[in-house]
Coordinates of all heavy atoms in Angstrom, one line a residue:
N1 N 114.2 64.4 7.2 CA 112.9 64.3 7.4 C 112.5 64.3 8.8 O 113.2 63.7 9.8 CB 112.6 62.9 6.7 CG 111.5 62.2 7.2 OD1 111.1 62.1 8.4 ND2 110.9 61.2 6.3
I2 N 111.4 65.1 9.2 CA 111.1 65.4 10.6 C 110.5 64.0 11.3 O 110.9 63.8 12.4 CB 110.0 66.6 10.6 CG1 110.6 67.7 9.9 CG2 109.5 66.7 12.0 CD1 109.4 68.7 9.6
T3 N 109.8 63.2 10.6 CA 109.1 62.2 11.3 C 110.4 61.1 11.6 O 110.1 60.5 12.8 CB 108.1 61.5 10.4 OG1 108.7 61.1 9.2 CG2 106.9 62.4 10.1
S4 N 111.2 61.0 10.9 CA 112.4 60.0 11.3 C 113.1 60.6 12.6 O 113.5 59.8 13.3 CB 113.2 59.8 10.1 OG 113.9 60.9 9.6
H5 N 113.3 61.8 12.6 CA 114.0 62.5 13.7 C 113.1 62.2 15.0 O 113.6 61.9 16.1 CB 114.2 64.0 13.6 CG 115.4 64.4 12.8 ND1 115.4 64.2 11.4 CD2 116.6 64.7 13.1 CE1 116.6 64.5 11.1 NE2 117.3 64.8 11.9
I6 N 111.7 62.4 14.9 CA 110.8 62.3 16.0 C 111.1 60.7 16.5 O 111.3 60.4 17.6 CB 109.5 62.5 15.7 CG1 109.3 64.1 15.5 CG2 108.6 62.1 16.8 CD1 108.0 64.5 14.9
E7 N 111.0 59.8 15.6 CA 111.0 58.4 15.9 C 112.4 58.0 16.4 O 112.6 57.1 17.3 CB 110.7 57.5 14.7 CG 109.2 57.7 14.4 CD 108.8 57.3 13.0 OE1 109.6 56.8 12.2 OE2 107.6 57.5 12.5
F8 N 113.4 58.6 15.9 CA 114.9 58.3 16.4 C 114.9 58.7 17.9 O 115.3 57.9 18.7 CB 115.8 59.1 15.6 CG 117.2 59.2 16.2 CD1 118.1 58.0 15.8 CD2 117.7 60.1 17.0 CE1 119.4 58.0 16.4 CE2 119.0 60.1 17.5 CZ 119.8 59.0 17.2
Y9 N 114.5 59.9 18.3 CA 114.6 60.3 19.6 C 113.5 59.6 20.5 O 113.9 59.3 21.7 CB 114.3 61.9 19.7 CG 115.5 62.6 19.2 CD1 115.6 63.3 18.0 CD2 116.8 62.6 20.0 CE1 116.7 63.8 17.6 CE2 117.8 63.2 19.5 CZ 117.9 63.9 18.3 OH 119.0 64.5 17.9
L10 N 112.4 59.4 20.0 CA 111.5 58.5 20.9 C 112.0 57.1 21.1 O 111.8 56.6 22.3 CB 110.1 58.4 20.2 CG 109.3 59.7 20.2 CD1 108.1 59.4 19.3 CD2 108.9 60.1 21.4
S11 N 112.7 56.5 20.2 CA 113.2 55.1 20.5 C 114.4 55.2 21.4 O 114.7 54.2 22.0 CB 113.8 54.7 19.1 OG 114.9 55.2 18.7
R12 N 114.9 56.5 21.8 CA 115.9 56.6 22.8 C 115.4 57.0 24.2 O 116.2 57.5 24.9 CB 117.0 57.4 22.2 CG 118.0 56.5 21.2 CD 118.6 57.3 20.2 NE 119.3 56.5 19.3 CZ 119.0 55.8 18.3 NH1 117.6 55.8 18.0 NH2 119.8 55.1 17.5
G13 N 114.1 57.2 24.2 CA 113.4 57.7 25.4 C 113.5 59.1 25.7 O 113.2 59.7 26.8
V14 N 113.8 59.9 24.6 CA 113.7 61.4 24.7 C 112.2 61.9 24.4 O 111.6 61.5 23.4 CB 114.6 61.9 23.6 CG1 114.6 63.5 23.6 CG2 116.1 61.5 23.8
D15 N 111.8 62.7 25.3 CA 110.5 63.4 25.0 C 110.5 64.5 24.1 O 110.9 65.7 24.5 CB 109.9 63.8 26.4 CG 108.4 64.1 26.3 OD1 107.7 63.9 25.4 OD2 108.0 64.9 27.3
I16 N 110.4 64.3 22.9 CA 110.7 65.3 21.8 C 109.4 65.9 21.3 O 108.3 65.4 21.3 CB 111.3 64.5 20.5 CG1 111.7 65.6 19.6 CG2 110.5 63.4 20.0 CD1 112.3 65.2 18.5
K17 N 109.6 67.3 21.1 CA 108.7 68.1 20.5 C 109.2 68.9 19.4 O 110.1 69.7 19.6 CB 107.8 69.0 21.5 CG 106.5 69.7 21.0 CD 105.8 70.3 22.1 CE 104.9 69.0 22.8 NZ 103.8 69.6 23.4
V18 N 108.6 69.0 18.2 CA 109.1 69.8 17.2 C 108.2 71.0 16.9 O 107.0 71.0 16.9 CB 109.2 68.9 15.8 CG1 109.7 69.7 14.7 CG2 110.0 67.6 16.1
V19 N 109.0 72.1 16.8 CA 108.2 73.5 16.5 C 108.6 73.9 15.1 O 109.7 74.1 14.8 CB 108.7 74.5 17.6 CG1 108.0 75.9 17.2 CG2 108.4 74.1 18.9
L20 N 107.5 73.9 14.3 CA 107.8 74.4 12.9 C 107.4 75.8 12.9 O 106.2 76.2 13.2 CB 106.8 73.5 12.0 CG 106.9 72.1 12.0 CD1 105.9 71.5 11.0 CD2 108.5 71.7 11.6
S21 N 108.2 76.7 12.4 CA 108.0 78.1 12.2 C 107.4 78.3 10.8 O 108.3 78.1 9.8 CB 109.2 78.9 12.5 OG 109.1 80.2 12.3
M22 N 106.3 78.8 10.6 CA 105.8 79.1 9.3 C 105.8 80.6 9.0 O 105.5 81.5 9.8 CB 104.4 78.5 9.1 CG 104.2 77.1 9.4 SD 104.8 76.0 8.1 CE 103.7 76.5 6.9
R23 N 106.1 80.9 7.8 CA 106.1 82.2 7.2 C 105.0 82.4 6.3 O 104.8 81.6 5.5 CB 107.4 82.7 6.6 CG 108.6 82.6 7.6 CD 109.6 83.7 7.3 NE 109.2 85.1 7.4 CZ 109.9 86.2 7.3 NH1 111.1 86.0 6.8 NH2 109.4 87.2 7.4
D24 N 104.6 83.7 6.2 CA 103.7 84.2 5.0 C 104.6 83.9 3.8 O 105.7 84.2 3.6 CB 103.5 85.6 5.1 CG 102.7 86.2 4.0 OD1 103.2 86.5 2.9 OD2 101.4 86.3 4.2
R25 N 104.0 83.2 2.8 CA 104.5 82.7 1.6 C 105.1 83.9 0.8 O 106.2 83.7 0.1 CB 103.7 81.8 0.8 CG 103.5 80.4 1.5 CD 102.8 79.6 0.7 NE 103.7 78.8 -0.2 CZ 103.4 77.9 -0.9 NH1 102.1 77.4 -1.0 NH2 104.3 77.2 -1.8
T26 N 104.5 85.0 0.8 CA 104.9 86.1 -0.1 C 106.2 86.6 0.5 O 107.1 87.1 -0.2 CB 103.8 87.2 -0.2 OG1 102.6 86.6 -0.6 CG2 104.1 88.3 -1.0
I27 N 106.2 86.8 1.8 CA 107.4 87.4 2.5 C 108.6 86.4 2.4 O 109.6 86.9 2.1 CB 107.0 87.7 4.0 CG1 105.9 88.7 4.1 CG2 108.2 88.1 4.8 CD1 105.4 88.9 5.4
S28 N 108.2 85.2 2.6 CA 109.2 84.1 2.5 C 109.9 84.1 1.0 O 111.2 84.1 1.0 CB 108.7 82.7 2.8 OG 109.7 81.8 2.7
S29 N 109.2 84.0 0.1 CA 109.6 84.2 -1.4 C 110.4 85.4 -1.6 O 111.6 85.3 -2.1 CB 108.5 84.2 -2.3 OG 107.8 82.8 -2.2
R30 N 110.0 86.5 -1.2 CA 110.7 87.8 -1.4 C 112.1 87.7 -0.8 O 113.1 88.1 -1.3 CB 109.9 89.0 -0.9 CG 109.5 89.8 -2.1 CD 108.8 91.1 -1.6 NE 107.4 90.8 -1.3 CZ 106.7 91.3 -0.4 NH1 107.3 92.1 0.6 NH2 105.4 91.0 -0.2
S31 N 112.0 87.3 0.5 CA 113.3 87.2 1.2 C 114.3 86.2 0.7 O 115.5 86.4 0.5 CB 112.9 86.7 2.7 OG 114.0 86.5 3.4
K32 N 113.8 85.1 0.3 CA 114.5 84.1 -0.4 C 115.2 84.5 -1.7 O 116.5 84.3 -1.8 CB 113.8 82.8 -0.7 CG 114.6 81.5 -1.1 CD 113.6 80.3 -1.5 CE 113.0 80.0 -0.2 NZ 112.4 78.7 -0.2
L33 N 114.5 85.2 -2.5 CA 115.0 85.7 -3.7 C 116.1 86.9 -3.6 O 117.1 86.9 -4.3 CB 113.9 86.3 -4.6 CG 113.0 85.4 -5.3 CD1 111.9 85.9 -6.1 CD2 113.8 84.4 -6.4
K34 N 116.0 87.6 -2.5 CA 116.9 88.7 -2.1 C 118.2 88.0 -1.5 O 119.4 88.5 -1.7 CB 116.4 89.6 -1.1 CG 115.5 90.7 -1.8 CD 115.1 91.6 -0.6 CE 114.2 92.7 -1.2 NZ 113.9 93.6 -0.1
G35 N 118.0 86.9 -0.8 CA 119.1 86.2 -0.1 C 119.9 85.1 -0.9 O 120.6 85.4 -1.8
H36 N 119.5 84.0 -0.5 CA 120.3 82.8 -1.1 C 119.9 82.2 -2.2 O 120.5 81.3 -2.9 CB 120.4 81.7 0.0 CG 119.1 80.8 0.2 ND1 118.1 81.4 0.9 CD2 118.7 79.7 -0.2 CE1 117.1 80.5 1.0 NE2 117.6 79.5 0.2
C37 N 118.6 82.3 -2.8 CA 118.2 81.8 -4.1 C 117.6 82.9 -4.9 O 116.6 83.3 -4.8 CB 117.1 80.9 -3.5 SG 116.4 79.8 -5.0
H38 N 118.4 83.1 -5.9 CA 118.0 84.2 -6.9 C 117.3 83.7 -8.2 O 117.0 84.4 -9.0 CB 119.3 84.9 -7.4 CG 120.1 85.5 -6.2 ND1 119.7 86.5 -5.5 CD2 121.3 85.0 -5.6 CE1 120.5 86.8 -4.4 NE2 121.5 85.8 -4.6
I39 N 116.8 82.4 -8.2 CA 116.2 81.8 -9.3 C 114.7 81.4 -8.8 O 114.6 80.6 -8.0 CB 116.8 80.5 -9.8 CG1 118.3 81.0 -10.2 CG2 116.0 80.0 -11.0 CD1 119.2 79.8 -10.6
A40 N 113.7 82.2 -9.2 CA 112.4 82.0 -8.7 C 111.9 80.6 -8.7 O 111.3 80.2 -7.9 CB 111.5 83.0 -9.4
D41 N 112.1 80.0 -9.9 CA 111.5 78.5 -10.0 C 112.2 77.6 -9.0 O 111.5 76.8 -8.5 CB 111.8 78.2 -11.5 CG 111.2 76.8 -11.7 OD1 110.1 76.5 -11.4 OD2 112.0 75.9 -12.3
V42 N 113.5 77.7 -8.8 CA 114.2 77.0 -7.8 C 113.6 77.1 -6.4 O 113.3 76.2 -5.6 CB 115.6 77.1 -7.9 CG1 116.4 76.4 -6.8 CG2 116.2 76.8 -9.2
G43 N 113.5 78.4 -6.1 CA 112.9 78.7 -4.8 C 111.6 78.2 -4.7 O 111.2 77.8 -3.5
S44 N 110.7 78.3 -5.6 CA 109.3 77.8 -5.5 C 109.3 76.4 -5.3 O 108.5 75.8 -4.4 CB 108.7 78.2 -6.9 OG 107.3 77.6 -6.7
R45 N 110.2 75.6 -6.1 CA 110.2 74.1 -5.8 C 110.8 73.7 -4.5 O 110.4 72.8 -3.8 CB 111.2 73.6 -6.9 CG 110.5 73.5 -8.3 CD 111.5 72.6 -9.2 NE 112.7 73.2 -9.3 CZ 113.5 73.3 -10.3 NH1 113.0 72.9 -11.4 NH2 114.7 73.7 -10.2
E46 N 111.7 74.6 -4.0 CA 112.4 74.4 -2.6 C 111.2 74.4 -1.6 O 111.1 73.7 -0.7 CB 113.4 75.4 -2.4 CG 114.2 75.3 -1.1 CD 115.2 76.3 -0.9 OE1 116.3 76.0 -1.4 OE2 114.8 77.4 -0.3
D47 N 110.3 75.5 -1.7 CA 109.2 75.8 -0.8 C 108.2 74.7 -0.8 O 107.7 74.1 0.2 CB 108.4 77.1 -1.2 CG 109.1 78.3 -0.8 OD1 110.1 78.3 0.0 OD2 108.7 79.3 -1.3
K48 N 108.0 74.1 -2.2 CA 107.0 72.9 -2.2 C 107.6 71.7 -1.4 O 106.8 70.9 -0.7 CB 106.8 72.6 -3.5 CG 105.9 73.5 -4.3 CD 105.6 73.2 -5.7 CE 104.8 74.4 -6.4 NZ 104.7 74.3 -7.8
V49 N 108.9 71.4 -1.6 CA 109.5 70.3 -0.9 C 109.3 70.5 0.7 O 109.0 69.6 1.5 CB 110.9 70.1 -1.2 CG1 111.7 69.1 -0.4 CG2 111.0 69.7 -2.7
A50 N 109.7 71.6 1.1 CA 109.6 72.1 2.5 C 108.2 71.8 3.1 O 107.9 71.2 4.2 CB 110.2 73.4 2.9
L51 N 107.2 72.3 2.4 CA 105.8 72.3 2.7 C 105.4 70.8 2.8 O 104.7 70.5 3.7 CB 104.9 73.2 1.9 CG 105.0 74.6 2.3 CD1 104.3 75.3 1.1 CD2 104.6 74.9 3.7
S52 N 105.9 70.0 1.9 CA 105.5 68.6 1.9 C 106.1 67.8 3.2 O 105.5 67.0 3.6 CB 106.1 68.0 0.6 OG 105.9 66.5 0.5
I53 N 107.3 68.2 3.4 CA 107.9 67.6 4.6 C 107.2 67.9 5.9 O 106.9 67.1 6.8 CB 109.5 68.0 4.7 CG1 110.3 67.3 3.6 CG2 110.0 67.5 6.0 CD1 111.6 67.9 3.4
M54 N 107.0 69.3 6.0 CA 106.2 69.7 7.1 C 104.8 69.0 7.3 O 104.2 68.6 8.3 CB 106.0 71.2 7.1 CG 107.4 71.9 7.3 SD 107.0 73.7 7.2 CE 108.5 74.3 7.5
A55 N 104.1 69.0 6.1 CA 102.8 68.4 6.1 C 102.7 66.9 6.5 O 101.9 66.5 7.4 CB 102.2 68.4 4.7
E56 N 103.8 66.2 6.1 CA 103.9 64.8 6.6 C 104.0 64.7 8.1 O 103.5 63.8 8.7 CB 105.1 64.2 5.9 CG 105.4 62.7 6.4 CD 106.7 62.0 6.0 OE1 107.5 63.0 5.5 OE2 106.9 60.9 6.0
A57 N 104.9 65.6 8.6 CA 105.0 65.6 10.1 C 103.8 65.9 10.8 O 103.6 65.3 11.9 CB 106.2 66.6 10.5
I58 N 103.0 66.9 10.3 CA 101.7 67.2 11.0 C 100.8 66.1 10.9 O 100.1 65.9 11.8 CB 101.3 68.6 10.4 CG1 102.1 69.7 10.6 CG2 99.9 68.9 10.8 CD1 102.0 70.9 9.6
E59 N 100.7 65.5 9.7 CA 99.7 64.5 9.5 C 100.0 63.2 10.5 O 99.2 62.6 11.0 CB 99.7 64.0 8.2 CG 99.1 64.9 7.2 CD 99.4 64.6 5.7 OE1 99.9 63.6 5.4 OE2 98.9 65.4 4.8
K60 N 101.3 63.0 10.7 CA 101.7 61.9 11.5 C 101.8 62.1 13.1 O 101.4 61.3 13.8 CB 102.9 61.2 11.1 CG 102.9 60.7 9.7 CD 104.1 60.0 9.2 CE 103.9 59.4 7.8 NZ 105.3 58.9 7.2
Y61 N 102.4 63.4 13.4 CA 102.5 63.7 14.8 C 101.9 65.0 15.3 O 102.2 65.4 16.4 CB 104.1 63.7 15.1 CG 104.7 62.2 15.0 CD1 105.4 61.8 13.9 CD2 104.4 61.5 16.1 CE1 105.9 60.6 13.8 CE2 104.9 60.1 16.0 CZ 105.8 59.6 14.9 OH 106.2 58.5 15.0
G62 N 101.1 65.6 14.6 CA 100.4 66.7 14.9 C 99.3 66.5 16.0 O 99.2 65.4 16.5
K63 N 98.4 67.5 16.1 CA 97.5 67.3 17.2 C 96.6 66.1 17.0 O 96.1 65.4 17.9 CB 96.4 68.5 17.3 CG 95.7 68.5 18.5 CD 95.0 69.8 18.6 CE 94.3 70.0 20.0 NZ 93.9 71.3 20.2
H64 N 96.2 65.7 15.8 CA 95.4 64.6 15.6 C 96.2 63.6 14.6 O 95.5 62.9 13.8 CB 94.1 65.1 14.8 CG 93.3 66.1 15.7 ND1 92.7 65.6 16.8 CD2 93.1 67.4 15.5 CE1 92.1 66.8 17.4 NE2 92.4 67.7 16.6
G65 N 97.4 63.4 14.8 CA 98.1 62.7 13.9 C 98.0 61.2 14.0 O 97.5 60.7 15.0
S66 N 98.2 60.5 12.9 CA 97.9 59.1 12.7 C 98.9 58.3 13.5 O 98.6 57.1 13.8 CB 98.0 58.8 11.2 OG 99.5 58.9 10.7
R67 N 100.1 58.7 14.0 CA 101.1 58.0 14.6 C 101.1 58.2 16.1 O 102.0 57.7 16.9 CB 102.4 58.0 14.1 CG 102.5 57.3 12.6 CD 103.9 57.2 12.5 NE 104.0 56.6 11.0 CZ 105.1 56.5 10.4 NH1 106.4 57.0 10.9 NH2 105.3 56.0 9.2
L68 N 100.2 59.2 16.6 CA 100.3 59.5 18.0 C 100.1 58.3 18.9 O 99.1 57.7 18.7 CB 99.3 60.6 18.4 CG 99.6 62.1 17.9 CD1 98.5 62.9 18.4 CD2 101.0 62.6 18.3
G69 N 100.9 58.0 19.7 CA 100.9 56.9 20.7 C 100.9 55.5 20.0 O 100.8 54.6 20.7
S70 N 101.2 55.5 18.8 CA 101.2 54.2 18.1 C 102.6 53.4 18.3 O 102.6 52.2 18.1 CB 101.0 54.4 16.6 OG 102.2 55.0 15.9
L71 N 103.7 54.0 18.7 CA 104.8 53.4 19.0 C 105.0 53.0 20.4 O 104.6 53.8 21.2 CB 106.0 54.3 18.6 CG 106.0 54.9 17.1 CD1 107.2 55.9 17.0 CD2 106.4 53.8 16.2
P72 N 105.5 51.8 20.7 CA 105.7 51.4 22.1 C 106.3 52.4 22.9 O 105.9 52.6 24.1 CB 106.4 50.0 22.1 CG 106.3 49.6 20.6 CD 106.1 50.8 19.7
E73 N 107.4 53.1 22.4 CA 108.1 54.1 23.2 C 107.4 55.4 23.3 O 107.8 56.2 24.0 CB 109.5 54.3 22.7 CG 109.6 54.7 21.1 CD 109.6 53.5 20.1 OE1 109.3 52.4 20.7 OE2 109.8 53.8 19.1
D74 N 106.2 55.5 22.6 CA 105.5 56.8 22.7 C 103.9 56.6 23.0 O 103.1 57.0 22.4 CB 105.6 57.5 21.4 CG 104.9 58.9 21.3 OD1 104.9 59.5 22.6 OD2 104.5 59.3 20.4
A75 N 103.8 55.8 24.1 CA 102.4 55.4 24.4 C 101.6 56.7 25.0 O 100.4 56.6 25.1 CB 102.4 54.4 25.4
S76 N 102.2 57.8 25.2 CA 101.6 58.9 25.7 C 100.5 59.5 24.9 O 99.6 60.1 25.3 CB 102.7 60.0 26.2 OG 103.2 60.6 25.0
G77 N 100.8 59.4 23.4 CA 99.8 60.1 22.6 C 100.0 61.6 22.6 O 99.2 62.2 22.1
K78 N 101.1 62.1 23.2 CA 101.3 63.5 23.1 C 101.5 64.1 21.7 O 102.1 63.4 20.8 CB 102.7 63.9 23.9 CG 102.4 63.8 25.4 CD 104.0 64.2 26.0 CE 104.0 63.8 27.5 NZ 105.3 64.2 27.8
E79 N 101.0 65.3 21.5 CA 101.4 66.0 20.3 C 102.8 66.3 20.1 O 103.5 66.8 21.1 CB 100.6 67.3 20.3 CG 100.7 68.3 19.0 CD 99.9 69.5 19.1 OE1 99.5 69.9 20.3 OE2 99.8 70.2 18.1
R80 N 103.4 66.0 19.0 CA 104.9 66.1 18.8 C 105.2 67.1 17.9 O 106.4 67.5 17.9 CB 105.4 64.7 18.2 CG 105.2 63.5 19.2 CD 106.0 63.5 20.3 NE 105.8 62.6 21.3 CZ 106.2 62.5 22.6 NH1 106.9 63.5 23.0 NH2 105.9 61.6 23.5
V81 N 104.4 67.7 17.2 CA 104.6 68.6 16.1 C 103.7 69.8 16.3 O 102.5 69.8 16.4 CB 104.4 68.2 14.7 CG1 104.7 69.2 13.7 CG2 105.4 67.0 14.4
I82 N 104.2 71.0 16.5 CA 103.4 72.1 16.7 C 103.9 73.3 15.5 O 105.1 73.4 15.2 CB 103.9 72.9 18.0 CG1 103.5 71.9 19.2 CG2 103.1 74.2 18.1 CD1 104.1 72.4 20.5
I83 N 102.9 74.0 15.1 CA 103.2 75.1 14.1 C 102.9 76.4 14.7 O 102.1 76.6 15.4 CB 102.2 75.0 12.9 CG1 102.3 73.6 12.2 CG2 102.5 76.0 12.0 CD1 101.1 73.3 11.3
V84 N 104.0 77.3 14.5 CA 104.0 78.6 15.0 C 104.2 79.6 13.9 O 104.6 79.4 12.8 CB 105.0 79.0 16.0 CG1 104.8 78.1 17.2 CG2 106.4 78.9 15.5
S85 N 103.5 80.9 13.9 CA 103.6 81.8 12.9 C 104.8 82.6 13.2 O 105.0 83.2 14.3 CB 102.3 82.8 12.9 OG 102.8 84.0 12.4
Y86 N 105.8 82.7 12.3 CA 106.9 83.5 12.3 C 106.6 84.9 12.7 O 107.3 85.6 13.6 CB 107.8 83.4 11.1 CG 109.1 84.2 11.2 CD1 110.1 83.8 11.9 CD2 109.3 85.5 10.7 CE1 111.4 84.5 12.0 CE2 110.3 86.2 10.6 CZ 111.4 85.7 11.4 OH 112.6 86.4 11.4
E87 N 105.7 85.5 11.9 CA 105.4 86.9 12.1 C 104.8 87.1 13.4 O 105.1 88.2 14.1 CB 104.4 87.4 10.9 CG 105.0 87.6 9.6 CD 105.4 86.3 8.8 OE1 104.9 85.3 9.1 OE2 106.5 86.5 8.0
G88 N 103.9 86.2 14.0 CA 103.3 86.4 15.3 C 104.4 86.2 16.3 O 104.3 87.0 17.4
M89 N 105.3 85.4 16.2 CA 106.3 85.1 17.2 C 107.2 86.3 17.3 O 107.7 86.8 18.4 CB 107.1 83.9 16.6 CG 108.2 83.4 17.7 SD 108.9 81.7 17.3 CE 109.3 82.0 15.5
M90 N 107.5 87.0 16.2 CA 108.4 88.3 16.1 C 107.6 89.4 16.8 O 108.2 90.2 17.5 CB 108.9 88.6 14.8 CG 109.8 87.5 14.0 SD 111.3 87.5 15.0 CE 111.2 86.1 15.9
E91 N 106.5 89.4 16.6 CA 105.5 90.6 17.1 C 105.4 90.5 18.6 O 105.5 91.5 19.4 CB 104.3 90.6 16.3 CG 103.4 91.8 16.6 CD 104.0 93.2 16.2 OE1 104.7 93.3 15.3 OE2 103.7 94.1 17.0
M92 N 104.9 89.3 19.1 CA 104.5 89.2 20.5 C 105.6 88.6 21.3 O 105.5 88.6 22.5 CB 103.3 88.3 20.5 CG 102.1 89.0 19.9 SD 100.4 88.1 20.2 CE 100.6 86.8 19.1
Q93 N 106.6 88.0 20.7 CA 107.8 87.5 21.4 C 107.5 86.6 22.5 O 106.9 85.6 22.4 CB 108.7 88.6 21.8 CG 109.3 89.3 20.6 CD 110.1 90.5 20.7 OE1 110.5 90.8 22.0 NE2 110.5 91.2 19.8
E94 N 107.9 86.9 23.9 CA 107.7 85.9 25.0 C 106.3 85.5 25.3 O 106.0 84.4 25.5 CB 108.3 86.6 26.2 CG 109.9 86.6 26.2 CD 110.3 88.0 25.8 OE1 109.4 88.9 25.6 OE2 111.5 88.2 25.8
V95 N 105.3 86.5 25.0 CA 103.9 86.1 25.2 C 103.5 85.0 24.4 O 102.8 84.1 24.8 CB 103.0 87.5 25.0 CG1 101.6 87.1 25.0 CG2 103.4 88.5 26.0
Y96 N 104.0 85.0 23.1 CA 103.7 84.0 22.1 C 104.4 82.7 22.5 O 103.7 81.6 22.5 CB 104.0 84.5 20.7 CG 103.6 83.6 19.6 CD1 102.2 83.9 19.1 CD2 104.3 82.6 19.1 CE1 101.9 83.2 17.9 CE2 103.9 81.8 18.0 CZ 102.6 82.1 17.4 OH 102.2 81.3 16.3
L97 N 105.6 82.7 22.6 CA 106.3 81.5 23.0 C 106.0 80.9 24.3 O 105.9 79.6 24.3 CB 107.9 81.9 23.0 CG 108.4 82.3 21.8 CD1 109.9 82.9 21.9 CD2 108.5 81.2 20.7
Y98 N 105.7 81.5 25.3 CA 105.3 81.0 26.6 C 104.0 80.2 26.6 O 103.7 79.5 27.4 CB 105.4 81.9 27.8 CG 106.9 82.4 27.9 CD1 107.2 83.8 28.2 CD2 107.9 81.4 28.0 CE1 108.4 84.2 28.5 CE2 109.2 81.8 28.2 CZ 109.5 83.2 28.5 OH 110.8 83.6 28.7
K99 N 103.1 80.6 25.5 CA 101.8 79.9 25.5 C 101.9 78.6 24.7 O 100.8 77.9 24.6 CB 100.8 80.8 24.8 CG 100.5 82.1 25.8 CD 100.0 81.8 26.9 CE 99.7 83.1 27.8 NZ 99.2 82.8 29.1
L100 N 103.1 78.3 24.1 CA 103.1 77.0 23.4 C 103.0 75.8 24.1 O 103.5 75.7 25.2 CB 104.4 77.0 22.6 CG 104.5 78.0 21.4 CD1 105.9 77.9 20.9 CD2 103.5 77.8 20.4

């Protein structure tokens, strides 16, 4: 779980930032079915779980997250979770990454 990792590192004085790489769902599903998950229903459930975990992290530690600055070890209120587009990252490479 992403939020517990953030809290673990913050409690140890580490200035953590998590980058979530999001893919177009159609491309992601096709790739998953060709690769490691050959059962469409299982792949779909796996995607739902992953999106739920990511959504929780964004809600708690994203730009307007409910826990930003709420922990004594994280009084800064810094955004801790950032979302990037996988396709955008692959297309623009350094230009995209350096602007994060």
Side-chain angles (χ1 to χ4, degrees):
N1 148 335
I2 299 165
T3 57
S4 64
H5 278 78
I6 292 171
E7 291 163 7
F8 172 85
Y9 285 105
L10 288 174
S11 72
R12 286 157 177 76
V14 177
D15 187 17
I16 184 171
K17 189 167 281 199
V18 176
V19 178
L20 302 177
S21 175
M22 300 288 292
R23 289 211 73 180
D24 175 277
R25 289 184 84 174
T26 305
I27 295 170
S28 178
S29 294
R30 247 187 274 142
S31 175
K32 186 179 294 190
L33 286 172
K34 282 184 179 180
H36 73 279
C37 183
H38 303 288
I39 304 169
D41 184 51
V42 172
S44 177
R45 287 189 307 218
E46 186 179 275
D47 284 345
K48 287 178 184 173
V49 170
L51 288 172
S52 173
I53 291 168
M54 291 178 182
E56 176 191 19
I58 294 162
E59 288 169 6
K60 292 180 179 177
Y61 288 104
K63 191 170 190 171
H64 303 288
S66 62
R67 290 196 182 170
L68 287 183
S70 66
L71 301 172
E73 56 272 9
D74 186 31
S76 70
K78 289 181 186 174
E79 179 180 13
R80 300 286 175 193
V81 178
I82 299 171
I83 303 170
V84 298
S85 161
Y86 177 83
E87 284 75 22
M89 191 169 44
M90 293 295 103
E91 184 66 31
M92 296 189 285
Q93 299 180 4
E94 289 94 6
V95 173
Y96 189 91
L97 292 173
Y98 290 138
K99 296 295 180 184
L100 292 179

